[in-house]
Amino acid sequence: MHHVIVGAGPAGVIAAETLRKKSPNDSITLIGDEPYPAYSRMALPYLMAGDVAEDGTYLRHAENHFESLEINVLNDSVSQVHPADHSISLKDGTGISFDRLLLATGASAIRPPIGGMDSPRVHNCWTLTDAHRILSEVKAGDRVVLLGAGFIGCIVLQALVEMKLELTVIELADRMLARMMDGPGGNMIERWCQAKGVKVRTGTAAKNVVEKNDSLEIELGDGSSIVADHIVCAAGVRSNTGFLEGSGIKTDAGVLVDWNLKTNIDNVFAAGDVAQGPDRSTGEQQVHAIQPTASEHGRVAACQMAGDPMPYGGSLSMNVLNTLGLITSSFGLWDGIDGGDSTRVEDQPHNRYLRLEFRDDVLVGALAIGLTQHVGILRGLVQTGVRLGEWKKRLMSDPSQIMHAYLAKVQGTRA
Amino acid sequence: MYKSLVIDPAKCTSCLQCELACSFENEGVFNPAKSRIKVFEFEHGLTTIPYTCTQCEEAWCLHACPVEAITVNAQTGAKEVNDSICVGCKVCTIACPFGTVNYNSSTGKVIKCDLCGGDPQCAEVCPTDAIVYVDADWTGYSKMRDSALEAHA
């Protein structure tokens, strides 16, 4: 049996390792198209901030890790998939046949469709190559505009501040982190950033960029403009599905997969940022381009490929973020559901916030700012759907009792 | 067979010596806020529950780590954080559905129970045997490990 895995990020690497464990005698080929050992995008901001060297971003540290597992690693890119022939084509036309195929090709950074984004002073911040380029071309004291204050933008923001840049953040939505934080939470983060010397402009978009002398003029939707030395673009990412055109493998925003991470084609699976699989909270197929989903998908898909399926209830949308020292997390349906109940406690002076959302007496979503102790319990409660019974009422009046509610209901201890 | 921390809340008197011993052993300070074991009080202290990582088989933290900073100690079975590799991204703190990995803002790293390398100080100092370090195979101690699996289904 030959397993071919396309993509050497967390999902691909974990799938390869899991397959080796489950199927000691099968052959495994892992194909990555970046000129580095397998690395983690999550770790790039820490490279930019100077906390770690390049090897600190690597997914695995042992020398000859993949050789020792007899995983054949190819540095190449895949141009086409031919499900009927059980084969793929590499860029140079070479064919590789497979018995099982995992698509783990991840996502790529996108740029807003405005003029001037092709300037060499505009940088993405998504790959190791992007990070190296920013580090070599952007110098302390430079004026930098960060386009986008979503999850990736805010992680990058932290690194850019540590690089001692004069930073302005432009966000189209009415608040920072619009997809992982509500109004009160987003405003708390924005005030925090402003207080730390970062200029934040929400509710406005860059309309055009003009290169002038040795700088950029960024024209905004509100008619004003900003002059900067560089733009760092964190306007979002898109699943890498282009090479599947004409293959018969169904795609939407990503590769459509079922609860077992199978595509519509037998023996072809997808995992991680490229996969659009069931969301645990809603059952709808969604791309969750987050590290925990990539690692879970990698394991679940590999178990399927090895013929030893593990139960999987879909991926849970969740994030954790450090924005200049303010720790933020979000879980599941944090914006609530129709007919559900909501409770929140907000401590503006101390920058603390906790919001819980319920369906009946089940926690379905949560937001937290400033919570660093036992925060995973929010995932545990959302994921297991445990009925909180009388504890729901207590949580409605004091959300901070969440750990107590968990111990009482899940660990079965009294009180 | 690895040994495990087995906790009997009924024996806990909430003396908090476990928290002090843990923080001193691992962080060099007597500071319950930096303890990897935490005693939760119910009904104003009528019931108290010591709580920490069970080194679950599922090892959500280990699998979620993007830089292989969490590995299994072959001697103890503990999932240990390697400070020199941890970048402080905190993904493990949201991945662990038991809430037993915490972010330590003074070091910028995460902390979790590592069984003190095989001599857990919380069990060592517990005066009432509410926390003991014994063969895991024993009586009924499988609840949290089982719920780790349920949580995945």
Side-chain angles (χ1 to χ4, degrees):
Chain A
M1 179 83 72
H2 184 206
H3 302 276
V4 173
I5 299 167
V6 190
V13 164
I14 289 169
E17 294 167 345
T18 308
L19 270 169
R20 175 49 71 233
K21 215 176 284 174
K22 296 267 174 190
S23 303
N25 301 316
D26 289 357
S27 56
I28 301 169
T29 302
L30 178 66
I31 307 172
D33 66 357
E34 292 187 57
Y36 309 99
Y39 71 92
S40 171
R41 305 218 198 283
M42 273 299 296
L44 295 180
Y46 304 95
L47 170 70
M48 290 168 56
D51 297 344
V52 296
E54 183 187 298
D55 61 3
T57 70
Y58 294 168
L59 278 162
R60 298 295 177 256
H61 304 292
E63 244 178 273
N64 306 321
H65 173 76
F66 294 104
E67 290 87 334
S68 71
L69 294 173
E70 294 184 48
I71 293 167
N72 178 30
V73 179
L74 295 183
N75 183 223
D76 214 319
S77 78
V78 175
S79 59
Q80 274 185 309
V81 176
H82 317 285
D85 305 346
H86 281 229
S87 74
I88 57 172
S89 302
L90 301 178
K91 271 269 148 55
D92 66 2
T94 318
I96 296 179
S97 59
F98 64 81
D99 296 297
R100 306 264 189 281
L101 176 67
L102 179 65
L103 306 169
T105 46
S108 296
I110 54 173
R111 290 185 171 184
I114 58 172
M117 294 303 283
D118 51 354
S119 160
R121 292 181 169 274
V122 178
H123 308 263
N124 290 341
C125 190
W126 180 241
T127 65
L128 193 42
T129 301
D130 293 338
H132 281 314
R133 192 172 149 232
I134 289 173
L135 283 172
S136 71
E137 295 178 17
V138 181
K139 301 293 173 215
D142 280 358
R143 298 159 297 176
V144 170
V145 166
L146 174 63
L147 288 185
F151 177 62
I152 296 165
C154 284
I155 287 190
V156 170
L157 185 155
Q158 167 94 22
L160 297 176
V161 167
E162 289 186 46
M163 287 174 69
K164 305 199 184 324
L165 308 173
E166 195 188 304
L167 190 61
T168 304
V169 183
I170 307 293
E171 169 57 48
L172 174 64
D174 65 350
R175 62 182 186 275
M176 297 177 76
L177 288 171
R179 287 169 59 197
M180 72 169 273
M181 203 37 72
D182 61 8
N187 292 336
M188 193 179 274
I189 295 163
E190 181 169 338
R191 278 194 302 275
W192 173 269
C193 289
Q194 303 270 22
K196 299 266 175 185
V198 175
K199 297 186 204 90
V200 182
R201 306 270 299 267
T202 49
T204 187
K207 287 288 173 203
N208 192 37
V209 176
V210 182
E211 204 159 350
K212 276 189 184 163
N213 305 321
D214 279 336
S215 60
L216 299 170
E217 185 174 344
I218 299 119
E219 298 160 14
L220 301 182
D222 61 9
S224 65
S225 66
I226 302 174
V227 175
D229 300 301
H230 298 272
I231 289 176
V232 172
C233 186
V237 298
R238 184 181 294 139
S239 300
N240 293 321
T241 59
F243 70 110
L244 297 172
E245 214 168 292
S247 69
I249 297 169
K250 279 192 186 152
T251 62
D252 177 30
V255 178
L256 291 164
V257 291
D258 65 13
W259 295 92
N260 296 316
L261 306 183
K262 288 181 181 169
T263 68
N264 61 310
I265 305 283
D266 277 348
N267 301 319
V268 180
F269 301 78
D273 289 6
V274 78
Q276 186 176 349
D279 174 315
R280 179 179 288 269
S281 302
T282 62
E284 287 166 21
Q285 285 167 303
Q286 282 210 324
V287 176
H288 286 163
I290 54 175
Q291 166 76 17
T293 294
S295 80
E296 281 170 33
H297 272 187
R299 282 198 299 152
V300 170
C303 289
Q304 286 286 337
M305 293 164 77
D308 181 18
M310 69 187 275
Y312 187 56
S315 56
L316 180 67
S317 174
M318 58 182 181
N319 271 310
V320 63
L321 187 62
N322 185 351
T323 311
L324 310 178
L326 193 64
I327 317 285
T328 316
S329 56
S330 67
F331 301 85
L333 303 172
W334 56 263
D335 205 23
I337 56 165
D338 286 345
D341 289 310
S342 178
T343 181
R344 58 194 86 184
V345 57
E346 191 175 345
D347 177 359
Q348 287 282 357
H350 299 97
N351 293 295
R352 291 175 68 87
Y353 182 50
L354 181 61
R355 170 176 171 176
L356 304 178
E357 293 291 334
F358 299 91
R359 175 188 290 121
D360 300 326
D361 61 347
V362 173
L363 187 72
V364 294
L367 291 180
I369 298 179
L371 181 68
T372 57
Q373 303 299 296
H374 311 293
V375 65
I377 222 62
L378 295 169
R379 178 200 193 167
L381 286 170
V382 169
Q383 180 147 319
T384 50
V386 61
R387 300 200 79 95
L388 291 162
E390 71 283 4
W391 275 93
K392 185 209 167 177
K393 206 170 138 195
R394 295 199 211 181
L395 289 172
M396 287 297 289
S397 57
D398 183 2
S400 73
Q401 292 293 301
I402 192 76
M403 192 61 205
H404 289 78
Y406 167 81
L407 284 169
K409 300 309 291 189
V410 176
Q411 298 294 318
T413 27
R414 73 188 194 86
Chain B
M1 173 53 70
Y2 296 131
K3 292 169 83 175
S4 292
L5 285 174
V6 175
I7 293 172
D8 181 358
K11 292 181 180 167
C12 176
T13 62
S14 195
C15 69
L16 307 189
Q17 289 193 55
C18 53
E19 294 188 3
L20 293 170
C22 177
S23 61
F24 186 67
E25 172 74 13
N26 294 295
E27 306 296 327
V29 287
F30 289 111
N31 180 356
K34 290 188 174 160
S35 172
R36 297 148 191 219
I37 188 163
K38 175 83 188 156
V39 178
F40 288 89
E41 293 198 357
F42 291 79
E43 298 157 356
H44 306 289
L46 201 62
T47 303
T48 56
I49 302 172
Y51 184 72
T52 191
C53 172
T54 62
Q55 317 299 338
C56 73
E57 293 294 326
E58 202 62 32
W60 302 76
C61 58
L62 180 155
H63 291 301
C65 178
V67 293
E68 204 183 22
I70 302 179
T71 52
V72 181
N73 179 318
Q75 261 80 53
T76 62
K79 282 74 186 175
E80 298 180 344
V81 178
N82 184 334
D83 273 357
S84 67
I85 297 176
C86 174
V87 293
C89 76
K90 297 169 281 296
V91 165
C92 56
T93 70
I94 61 166
C96 168
F98 306 107
T100 55
V101 190
N102 292 326
Y103 179 64
N104 180 353
S105 56
S106 49
T107 59
K109 313 279 179 183
V110 296
I111 54 177
K112 71 175 290 297
C113 173
D114 59 3
L115 298 174
C116 299
D119 183 19
Q121 292 303 294
C122 54
E124 180 72 26
V125 301
C126 180
T128 60
D129 285 346
I131 307 166
V132 290
Y133 188 53
V134 294
D135 286 339
D137 223 7
W138 136 154
T139 96
Y141 174 77
S142 56
K143 198 163 186 176
M144 284 183 66
R145 285 164 188 265
D146 290 348
S147 66
L149 295 171
E150 273 168 33
H152 203 259

